């Protein structure tokens, strides 16, 4: 079934000195997520002469391109002689011609790992150390294990202010930096942790409809069931390169694209791929990640939304203040004006959790549907009002009114449609094929909702990878429910995933606390 | 070239409900080090129905056995339909029959990861938390990324005394525990970081020749060019199961085996496999690793050798005292009597660094050769003397004299030969095929030696994987050398590795500081 792999016998390298370290590139079709992996036979000449062993870090050079990959040694018969099998990530990174000769050699010693070890042992790192580490990370020289170690060592409160500034600056310097040729470029960011808080898709068109420039780059989910980029992708393409992003902004004054595809802060994209399976997110890295993206995107004024609640990412007003202070201070050090809004994070925003369900909520608000979730609408209007004032499009105190007008008279919806069009065309929202309704076990008043468990259930159901998957929440804090009334619906695109999410929900204490109504 | 893989068309599962989650086991021959990995086609029924994606953690069940593996999704033509390709680690762990039906399902949610996250954020963990984490680790439920996070979160000084006790106890409880049926079982351990410090191979036969019981389990290298088990393996088999280990001890009073193969403290073996590529070793984990192995091996009295030097693992006398105190305190909590000896760690011990070169030094001492390294001999005699006193085989103050006698009259050599014989037979020491001599650039006195760089060079030359690889050191601190005199020789089993180590050495500041002799 695989007789076509590898080079023909007739074209094998001669085993002279010069060819011993050369193999022919073969696309093995193995999806190793984003870690580049190379598969080589244990008995190949270069493994024997270089003493390569599994897990070694190997440099692959094809023409003028070069990457570092993790080696998996193969004894099986499926890998041809004289062939280097590349995982999908390695193939994308090196992009050789099929069968092209590639040279393999030991990866250079990673001196920057000594800084990582130093951080693990609790020492401070200076700007040079962060530049070295981030440079190697952006160049793909760290294995996933190295990345996990760096992330963990910087997590908790292990980075002080100077270190966070150094990390942020290093992450900016290693990527591209956009210049929009104007003094005022506004932006917003939500620190997250609040399911369904998809205000960006409303704020951007409102603000842009009032004449401000807002080239928004968003991230995909790290630990949540949907990132803004995941939700926007349900409605329009987000994988724009810098040229396409620029054209969108020139035409509409705004965009909502995935930050990773424009290679702003490329080190951040690498770190995020490992943070995601670890379900780990730290203050220093959060600040560096957010602000490096904003600075690289050419923003000058940034509003940060900090939702606070016992099960949101920021759990107390004090924690929000500490994080906010850090964001403002690091922003100042790198030349960004940062404003804050601490918001209520007690319960999910809107009704949907997961890309398609959240996109549906956003469209309902933009289209002024009667059943649109009012909490999402109100949050977005307040944030948009803040930005209109921050950017000078409304006098102090008048931002909320202007934002409300622009949404009510359809200008925001028209602007959003224009942005989607410029990004490649507005799409239909997909609907999940498998659903399961969870009902109230007893009558009473809803007194608390566990955001974390809801998010986890949405992820187990397949979000964000399966865009239509997630959780649709039917009741809110303070609602009176009767026994058997639907509390939420699990949506999935595969029966196994629906069962898995259901099983998880069944094994937990109730997600919705219901007290006897008084 | 791979027409023989996978089941025949005629034996494919019927695609009824019951078979959708079943695949046939196929040994893919891919060496993923120790992480179990399963390769499944993206278009297979179970991937589609369960929504499996790359990096997902998957439970594989074959008969009554079950493991958790990391999924790599495959698009390539080399993997047959209806087949689950298993990496070597997965094949070893599940040991199915080739072609056996195996069931695949989502791995259970790992609740213990919440403890790991809690530790990352700087919180204390209680005994229950460590039990949960270590239980999951020993059962193979953590991915390498999870392990790296746990190791990093516990590194530095992040574990307090109670946490270290809890971790140690959890690591003991999860494995086997030997009982030798006697009140006194002695043991020793060296905290390491000092190349060539292979005293165990001398201490064990001396002590056993004096009638004490010393069933020694040793580790393979974590961050060094050779562990004691690696060096012993040059001379005799060390992969003994518990039965063979017991027979060796009954026959000779002692053994020197690899701890991992007898499954004492299995969680430690899992942690070490990730610590090694990270080149990371922490105090809490070091204490837990050492003492859990000793307790599980049934030891009652343990001597710990703490070499101190600026480039050894323990860099100052204060650090040695702090670590020693922690070892004694944790030992007391788990019922082990721990004695300490702080030794000089300024320079490598003996001449060889690397399994075979160190084994050669050990044999020279045991055989009382004139050219045997005297520093290795002296260190071993002092440690053996301490243990003889600790174990009551010599009165206080008389241990060193007894040890010296037993080595000098050949009883130690006879005992060592008997131990090797009982473990499977004494072996010839291999010699490296490729060498490179590094000479003194100028005349003068050797004033310092960088142990870390020497170790690194030995590792780059192939140690410990290639047993004959390493570094042979020809001069010692204080020696007067002339320009061009050999300082050390790099040994390798592959020309590429020799070149790699050479390149590394050339790129560093001099490893041996030579001052003009006064």
């Amino acid at each position: 079934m695989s007789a076509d792999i590898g080079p023909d016998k007739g074209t094998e390298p001669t085993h002279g000195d010069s060819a011993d370290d050369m193999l022919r590139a073969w696309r093995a079709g193995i999806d190793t997520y984003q870690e580049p992996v190379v598969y080589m036979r244990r008995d190949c000449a270069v493994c024997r002469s270089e003493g390569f062993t599994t897990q070694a870090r190997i440099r692959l050079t094809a023409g003028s391109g070069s990457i570092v990959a993790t080696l998996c040694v193969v004894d099986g018969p499926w890998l041809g002689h004289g062939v280097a099998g590349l995982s999908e990530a390695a193939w994308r990174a090196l992009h050789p011609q099929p069968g092209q000769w590639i040279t393999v050699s030991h990866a250079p010693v990673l001196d920057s790992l000594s800084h990582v070890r130093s951080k693990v042992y609790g020492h401070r790192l200076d700007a040079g150390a962060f530049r070295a580490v981030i440079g190697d990370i952006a160049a793909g020289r760290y294995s996933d294990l190295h990345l996990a170690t760096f992330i963990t060592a910087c997590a908790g409160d292990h980075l002080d202010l100077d270190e966070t500034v150094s990390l942020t600056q290093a992450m900016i310097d290693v990527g591209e930096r956009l210049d929009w040729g104007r003094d005022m470029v506004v932006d917003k960011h939500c620190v997250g942790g609040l399911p369904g808080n998809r205000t960006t898709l409303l704020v951007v068109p409102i603000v842009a409809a009032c004449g401000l420039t807002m080239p928004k780059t968003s991230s995909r989910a790290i630990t949540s069931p949907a990132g803004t980029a995941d939700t926007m992708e349900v409605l329009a393409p987000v994988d724009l390169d810098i040229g396409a992003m620029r054209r969108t902004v020139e035409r509409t004054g705004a965009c909502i694209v995935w930050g990773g595809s424009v290679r702003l802060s490329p080190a951040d994209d690498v770190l995020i791929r490992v943070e995601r399976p670890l379900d780990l997110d730290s203050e220093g890295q959060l600040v560096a990640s957010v602000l490096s993206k904003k600075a690289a995107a050419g923003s000058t004024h940034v509003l940060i939304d900090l939702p606070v609640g016992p099960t949101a990412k920021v759990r107390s007003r004090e924690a929000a203040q500490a994080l906010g202070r850090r964001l403002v201070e690091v922003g100042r050090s790198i030349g960004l004006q940062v404003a804050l809004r601490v918001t209520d994070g007690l319960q999910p925003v809107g009704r949907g959790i997961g890309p398609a369900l959240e996109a549906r909520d956003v469209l309902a608000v933009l289209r002024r549907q009667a059943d649109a979730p009012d909490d999402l609408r109100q949050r977005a209007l307040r944030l948009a009002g803040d930005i209109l004032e921050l950017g000078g499009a409304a006098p102090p105190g008048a931002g909320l009114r202007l934002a409300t007008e622009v949404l009510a008279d359809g200008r925001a919806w028209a602007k959003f449609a224009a942005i989607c069009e410029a990004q490649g065309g507005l799409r239909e929202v997909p609907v999940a094929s498998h659903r399961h309704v969870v009902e109230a076990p007893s009558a009473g008043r809803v007194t608390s909702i566990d955001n974390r468990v809801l998010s986890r259930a949405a992820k187990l159901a397949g979000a964000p990878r399966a865009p239509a998957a997630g959780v649709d929440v039917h009741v809110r804090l303070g609602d009176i429910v009767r026994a058997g009334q639907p509390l939420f619906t699990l949506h999935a695109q595969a029966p196994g995933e629906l069962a898995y999410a259901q099983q998880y929900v069944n094994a937990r204490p109730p997600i919705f606390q219901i007290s006897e109504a008084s």
Side-chain angles (χ1 to χ4, degrees), chain A:
Chain A
M1 68 191 81
S2 53
D4 57 337
I5 72 173
D8 298 332
K9 286 270 174 207
T11 59
E12 276 192 10
T14 55
H15 284 285
D17 276 357
S18 62
D20 262 12
D21 60 348
M22 296 188 80
L23 294 167
R24 295 193 51 172
W26 173 62
R27 186 169 184 169
I30 301 177
D31 184 354
T32 51
Y33 199 34
Q34 298 189 20
E35 177 159 34
V37 175
V38 57
Y39 301 86
M40 287 163 45
R41 289 178 67 103
R42 193 181 302 279
D43 57 8
C44 75
V46 64
C47 275
R48 290 204 315 269
S49 71
E50 294 290 319
F52 289 153
T53 47
T54 258
Q55 268 204 347
R57 300 283 289 166
I58 304 285
R59 176 152 50 185
L60 307 178
T61 305
S64 60
S66 161
I67 63 167
V68 174
T70 298
L71 174 64
C72 273
V73 168
V74 173
D75 289 302
W78 57 271
L79 186 64
H81 287 278
V83 170
L86 302 192
S87 75
E88 289 300 284
W91 191 267
R92 279 194 305 269
L94 190 62
H95 50 78
Q97 296 301 310
Q100 184 178 348
W101 289 109
I102 60 177
T103 309
V104 297
S105 58
H106 284 278
V109 172
L110 270 177
D111 287 324
S112 73
L113 284 179
S114 67
H115 303 306
V116 175
R117 271 190 291 278
S118 177
K119 190 72 224 164
V120 169
Y121 289 106
H123 303 297
R124 290 195 64 255
L125 298 187
D126 62 16
F130 279 109
R131 261 198 309 276
V133 171
I134 292 300
D136 280 339
I137 287 176
R141 299 192 193 107
Y142 275 35
S143 72
D144 282 0
L145 285 181
H146 296 144
L147 293 171
T149 302
F150 178 65
I151 288 163
T152 308
C154 295
D157 53 357
H158 300 159
L159 295 188
D160 67 18
L161 175 61
D162 287 345
E163 289 179 292
T164 308
V165 170
S166 298
L167 174 61
T168 309
Q169 193 64 54
M171 285 169 69
I172 297 169
D173 293 344
V174 86
E176 312 237 15
R177 189 161 188 173
L178 300 181
D179 182 355
W180 299 98
R182 31 197 123 178
D183 295 339
M184 165 82 64
V185 175
V186 299
D187 211 335
K188 80 164 275 286
H189 184 81
C190 174
V191 161
L194 198 56
N197 193 14
R198 212 45 68 211
T199 53
T200 293
L201 274 59
L202 298 165
V203 170
V204 169
I206 293 171
V207 164
C210 297
L212 293 179
T213 304
M214 192 161 179
K216 184 84 186 72
T217 63
S218 294
S219 54
R220 297 191 183 276
I222 302 176
T223 62
S224 69
T228 295
D230 300 311
T231 302
M232 183 66 184
E233 197 169 33
V234 170
L235 298 168
V238 295
D239 287 356
L240 276 61
D241 62 20
I242 289 183
M245 178 182 175
R246 199 176 278 286
R247 284 190 297 278
T248 302
V249 175
E250 275 160 13
R251 204 177 307 169
T252 68
C255 68
I256 305 170
V257 302
W258 177 46
S261 71
V262 291
R263 300 265 312 153
L264 301 173
S265 197
D268 190 46
D269 303 328
V270 176
L271 290 170
I272 281 176
R273 82 162 198 243
V274 175
E275 283 167 16
R276 194 186 322 220
L278 294 178
D279 208 356
L280 207 66
D281 216 0
S282 77
E283 179 175 303
Q285 240 141 33
L286 187 154
V287 170
S289 168
V290 170
L291 297 187
S292 68
K293 283 251 153 75
K294 300 301 159 203
S299 308
T300 60
H301 293 66
V302 181
L303 177 72
I304 312 245
D305 177 10
L306 292 164
V308 175
T311 58
K313 186 174 283 176
V314 182
R315 303 198 193 191
S316 70
R317 209 152 269 272
E318 295 68 48
Q321 274 157 1
L323 178 57
R325 215 165 25 239
R326 183 56 61 95
L327 284 161
V328 169
E329 287 167 337
V330 174
R332 189 179 302 130
S333 298
I334 62 165
L336 265 186
Q337 190 174 326
V338 173
L340 306 170
R341 180 173 277 270
V342 176
T343 57
D344 169 12
L346 289 177
Q347 60 184 329
V349 180
R351 304 204 177 93
I353 301 171
L357 293 166
E358 294 174 17
R360 175 206 62 191
D361 286 352
V362 165
L363 286 187
V365 173
L366 283 170
R367 288 167 166 162
R368 292 148 290 155
Q369 288 169 211
D371 62 349
D374 192 54
D375 60 328
L376 175 62
R377 187 173 158 273
Q378 295 295 345
R379 290 180 91 92
L381 288 174
R382 275 195 303 273
L383 294 170
D386 283 353
I387 297 176
L388 291 173
E389 295 175 20
L390 184 68
L400 178 59
R401 206 180 48 233
L402 177 57
T404 307
E405 276 173 30
V406 167
L407 179 65
D409 65 15
R411 274 183 286 167
W413 168 227
K415 177 61 79 176
F416 186 78
I419 293 168
C420 288
E421 210 47 57
Q423 290 189 194
L426 186 66
R427 294 167 168 169
E428 282 294 312
V429 179
V431 176
S433 46
H434 298 81
R435 304 182 190 198
H436 171 76
V437 178
V438 175
E439 298 169 347
S442 60
R445 183 186 299 276
V446 178
T447 56
S448 80
I449 301 176
D450 191 328
N451 292 329
R452 286 166 193 270
V453 176
L454 273 183
S455 290
R456 182 99 186 134
K459 286 195 286 182
L460 293 177
R465 182 190 34 74
V471 173
D472 206 14
V473 181
H474 307 306
V475 299
R476 301 193 55 76
L477 275 183
D479 283 3
I480 306 280
V481 297
R482 57 174 204 286
Q485 179 175 333
L487 294 175
F488 61 94
T489 304
L490 294 167
H491 289 233
Q493 284 176 228
E497 287 182 308
L498 186 70
Y500 194 40
Q502 225 174 305
Q503 193 182 323
Y504 171 76
V505 165
N506 292 341
R508 304 283 126 178
I511 297 170
F512 290 72
Q513 293 292 338
I514 297 171
S515 308
E516 261 182 52
S518 55

